[in-house]
Amino acid sequence: MLTDAPPRKASRAGFLESARIGTLDLPQNGRLLTTAKSIESAMKAGKSTDVRRACAGFLAVTSDFYGVRACAVRVLAARPLRVREHWTTELFGDYNPRTMLIRLWMRTAVRKQVTSFGTFLSTLCHEFCHHLDYQRFGFRDSWHTRGFYERTAALYHHAKGTPPKRLFWAAVRGGRWRTDWPRTNRGM
Ligand SMILES: [Zn+2]
């Protein structure tokens, strides 16, 4: 994962704030785990309407917990031609802050392979964290900062029931950061 470069003056305070917030409160009642499991079963059955319904259930729980308006979700069979997200690796979803709509697609762009449940859930958490940036934190933009990725990872591991991983970062050119996977996987 690679962070965005810091923006110019006007948005810099929000960017730094986003980078600083590395944790997220998490619902402790197991509801996220339950709804995530229903997404997994729907994906196994392969019907996108069921997957969409399960994702909407997930977003209802998270939006309620964080006290934000629920965002809508659309599940597509394949990646649309026009996408908003400017993720650095492969694309699996996007979020439109104006319409508050998350779109997810079940097949990869390049090899048309079915997206794995882990990648799909991680994308859902990623896009929902964009929603939180605007609706909960009040940022004027939703940057991919170290804090953003850390919040996303916290939500994802909690929903998946896997132990949280501390992310380690290495500085790269232009004020950006790249995940140091060897250190992250070693946990030190
Ligand atoms: Zn993003």
Side-chain angles (χ1 to χ4, degrees):
M1 296 181 289
L2 180 67
T3 67
D4 295 333
R8 296 190 178 277
K9 264 185 195 158
S11 306
R12 194 174 279 259
F15 181 91
L16 294 176
E17 180 74 359
S18 167
R20 195 182 57 77
I21 306 171
T23 57
L24 204 56
D25 291 337
L26 296 162
Q28 296 303 320
N29 54 16
R31 283 177 73 197
L32 274 192
L33 194 64
T34 312
T35 50
K37 285 212 184 308
S38 72
I39 295 174
E40 187 172 22
S41 337
M43 283 184 80
K44 274 189 189 135
K47 276 187 75 181
S48 64
T49 47
D50 294 341
V51 177
R52 196 208 71 82
R53 195 173 305 123
C55 289
F58 182 91
L59 293 169
V61 172
T62 49
S63 298
D64 178 57
F65 179 76
Y66 294 109
V68 294
R69 285 200 282 162
C71 43
V73 62
R74 200 173 284 165
V75 173
L76 312 169
R79 179 178 182 267
L81 287 176
R82 308 185 101 213
V83 291
R84 285 183 67 93
E85 178 63 81
H86 41 87
W87 211 357
T88 45
T89 54
E90 184 142 359
L91 296 151
F92 298 101
D94 64 8
Y95 170 74
N96 183 329
R98 200 173 43 79
T99 57
M100 300 202 300
L101 173 70
I102 289 176
R103 296 190 304 178
L104 303 164
W105 36 99
M106 292 173 64
R107 283 178 192 275
T108 60
V110 182
R111 295 198 200 97
K112 306 275 184 211
Q113 285 168 333
V114 175
T115 310
S116 72
F117 166 66
T119 301
F120 191 84
L121 181 65
S122 152
T123 305
L124 178 61
C125 293
H126 179 111
E127 304 309 336
F128 179 74
C129 282
H130 280 313
H131 182 62
L132 280 188
D133 273 6
Y134 294 100
Q135 298 298 322
R136 178 177 161 99
F137 296 112
F139 298 141
R140 62 161 70 182
D141 201 342
S142 180
W143 308 271
H144 299 102
T145 60
R146 282 174 291 170
F148 176 85
Y149 285 122
E150 286 158 4
R151 297 192 291 278
T152 304
L155 183 62
Y156 167 72
H157 284 294
H158 185 72
K160 200 159 179 259
T162 45
K165 238 181 209 180
R166 181 183 160 191
L167 296 174
F168 288 85
W169 299 95
V172 292
R173 291 169 108 192
R176 302 171 84 182
W177 296 82
R178 183 184 293 284
T179 316
D180 183 337
W181 284 115
R183 283 194 73 194
T184 298
N185 290 333
R186 277 203 310 274
M188 53 187 286

